[in-house]
Amino acid sequence: MNQCTALALLPPPDHLLALSPPGHRPEAGHVLCELGEDHDDQHAAMLWDEGGRPGSAVWVRWKGSGRARLTSCPWCPALDTRDEACELFADHPRAHSWDITDPTDEAITRHLAGHHPHLFPEHRDGYGSGGI
């Protein structure tokens, strides 16, 4: 399943604006939804993790072009067949992280593997000439 393509613009927090020197105002940043396409109406992107403790990951959640909100979420407890943990929050909608493909990342990897196969031995046979 492909990754959702929804974006959110996050303005810098008020305390960061207050601390910024004159003439050096922090800019807003974009985040990309990490969930699989066709999920429920709440998008999500992980911003940081406070050390892997339960509820320590801080996610930004948003709906459409509405206001984004920060929320602390526990990690999804699911493991794949190689005992790799899902990289999403508990009770996330639809697919686990190992079933979600970022098409942009895949295209970049194919291109780089085609031009620099020695850097991508795991993709040696699967990506051809990399002619993107």
Side-chain angles (χ1 to χ4, degrees):
M1 161 184 298
N2 281 338
Q3 183 175 336
C4 177
T5 59
L7 293 170
L9 181 66
L10 293 180
D14 290 339
H15 68 277
L16 188 59
L17 292 173
L19 294 172
S20 63
H24 292 87
R25 182 179 173 92
E27 295 182 20
H30 291 87
V31 291
L32 176 64
C33 181
E34 296 180 35
L35 302 174
E37 61 189 355
D38 299 327
H39 60 81
D40 68 1
D41 61 354
Q42 288 286 316
H43 301 289
M46 204 242 336
L47 297 179
W48 69 84
D49 182 18
E50 296 287 336
R53 295 180 314 278
S56 64
V58 177
W59 291 76
V60 59
R61 302 293 311 264
W62 72 98
K63 180 178 180 180
S65 60
R67 185 171 171 88
R69 65 182 173 84
L70 301 184
T71 184
S72 179
C73 299
W75 289 105
C76 175
L79 300 174
D80 70 5
T81 57
R82 299 170 304 186
D83 286 334
E84 295 288 327
C86 177
E87 298 171 358
L88 299 172
F89 54 90
D91 300 321
H92 59 82
R94 307 208 19 117
H96 291 290
S97 62
W98 53 79
D99 292 324
I100 299 171
T101 301
D102 177 348
T104 302
D105 183 61
E106 289 293 311
I108 292 168
T109 301
R110 274 194 308 277
H111 177 77
L112 291 173
H115 290 284
H116 308 283
H118 61 285
L119 298 176
F120 298 87
E122 67 277 11
H123 298 290
R124 189 159 286 143
D125 298 326
Y127 286 134
S129 65
I132 292 177

